[in-house]
Amino acid sequence: MNVFINDIPLILKKASEKVYKHEYDLILKASDHFTSKDLIGDVLIKDADILLIDRIVRLMEVKKLKKLRSLTLVASKKTKLIEHLKDQFKIVNAAGGLVLKDGQILMIYRLGVWDLPKGKLNKKEEVEAGALREVEEECNIQVEVVDKLPKTWHSYAYKGKKILKKTSWFVMNCTDDSLIKPQAEEFIEEVRWMTPDEVLEVLPKAYTSIAFIVRHYLQSLKTGKV
């Protein structure tokens, strides 16, 4: 599960999953004493439980953890922790696409941030159908789904409620962009085809969850696995 709280990735792993210690700047146990000031770089915390995840979520929501790049929690009961985490939020479902044409990726510029086309699903709408609809509406193009990408979850507050948005992502091919234009009603200022190198250049000006999806896709080109 890839959760983004205040644009910082919170990653939950099973205790049985392989962990490479050299990938982390700090490794702690849930029983260790630490404060928000200790959370610098990529941090791993072992033996995570419900008490720890409640504390971590509060820290990430309230504190400005500017030096924290990512936080990974390792738990023996990962599923139980995920369900407990979800119970703290209202779940909203969304879907979107990483759209391809001639080796280029379609990026949109919205509210000062580079993004991928996506949006909330309508009530009882199928996920794939919703992803197609959102991409076609936001960019005025025609697309088809060719593969799935990992889901992302990100939290935000709306009218005093804690929201956790689950976004299902798909790789798509563009079949017609002859009438391409940004959907102004969704505050999209620009729709642009970019080479992978150009996309990597603008990722620092994108949400962390979007960078995660793009980098996952580009890495899949090397491994052959999406």
Side-chain angles (χ1 to χ4, degrees):
M1 186 178 188
N2 303 291
V3 186
F4 296 83
I5 300 177
N6 276 333
D7 214 30
I8 299 173
L10 175 63
I11 303 159
L12 279 68
K13 288 181 176 288
K14 293 180 183 178
S16 58
E17 290 182 61
K18 188 71 175 177
V19 172
Y20 299 96
K21 293 182 179 180
H22 68 274
E23 295 180 351
Y24 300 94
D25 300 294
L26 177 65
I27 298 178
L28 300 167
K29 290 184 179 179
S31 57
D32 291 339
H33 175 75
F34 64 90
T35 68
S36 59
K37 293 180 181 179
D38 298 314
L39 303 179
I40 298 173
D42 296 301
V43 178
L44 172 72
I45 304 180
K46 299 179 178 180
D47 307 323
D49 56 16
I50 286 174
L51 290 176
L52 176 72
I53 202 165
D54 285 347
R55 181 188 176 196
I56 289 299
V57 169
R58 284 196 300 272
L59 279 177
M60 296 179 76
E61 288 177 337
V62 175
K63 299 288 185 178
K64 292 184 178 180
L65 305 174
K66 294 181 178 180
K67 295 182 179 180
L68 178 64
R69 278 195 304 270
S70 70
L71 184 53
T72 300
L73 304 183
V74 178
S76 58
K77 297 180 180 180
K78 175 185 172 183
T79 301
K80 185 178 180 180
L81 283 194
I82 289 174
E83 292 307 313
H84 178 75
L85 178 63
K86 290 179 182 178
D87 286 343
Q88 299 179 50
F89 298 86
K90 176 184 177 182
I91 307 296
V92 171
N93 292 300
L98 186 150
V99 185
L100 306 171
K101 181 185 176 184
D102 299 329
Q104 294 185 311
I105 297 171
L106 188 65
M107 299 292 291
I108 66 174
Y109 192 69
R110 172 168 30 204
L111 300 174
V113 181
W114 286 102
D115 204 347
L116 294 172
K118 65 184 184 303
K120 294 180 184 177
L121 299 179
N122 293 327
K123 191 174 182 179
K124 296 184 179 180
E125 185 175 30
E126 292 293 331
V127 175
E128 188 172 312
L132 289 168
R133 176 185 56 76
E134 283 292 340
V135 170
E136 292 181 347
E137 287 178 355
E138 291 197 338
C139 304
N140 204 42
I141 58 175
Q142 298 296 311
V143 293
E144 60 184 6
V145 169
V146 295
D147 213 335
K148 291 182 178 180
L149 287 164
K151 297 177 179 64
T152 59
W153 303 71
H154 82 268
S155 70
Y156 60 95
Y158 181 70
K159 293 184 178 179
K161 294 183 178 180
K162 291 173 61 175
I163 308 295
L164 190 61
K165 183 185 283 187
K166 172 188 176 183
T167 305
S168 300
W169 293 99
F170 299 88
V171 180
M172 300 178 180
N173 278 337
C174 179
T175 58
D176 184 1
D177 66 345
S178 58
L179 299 176
I180 189 170
K181 67 176 181 179
Q183 186 181 21
E185 297 88 343
E186 290 296 325
F187 308 104
I188 303 172
E189 301 171 46
E190 184 180 357
V191 179
R192 187 193 301 180
W193 290 108
M194 297 185 183
T195 65
D197 286 342
E198 289 171 336
V199 173
L200 290 173
E201 286 182 11
V202 303
L203 282 188
K205 297 179 181 178
Y207 295 113
T208 307
S209 56
I210 298 301
F212 167 78
I213 289 297
V214 171
R215 292 185 191 281
H216 178 92
Y217 170 73
L218 294 178
Q219 182 62 30
S220 75
L221 296 180
K222 299 177 182 179
T223 62
K225 294 182 180 181
V226 175

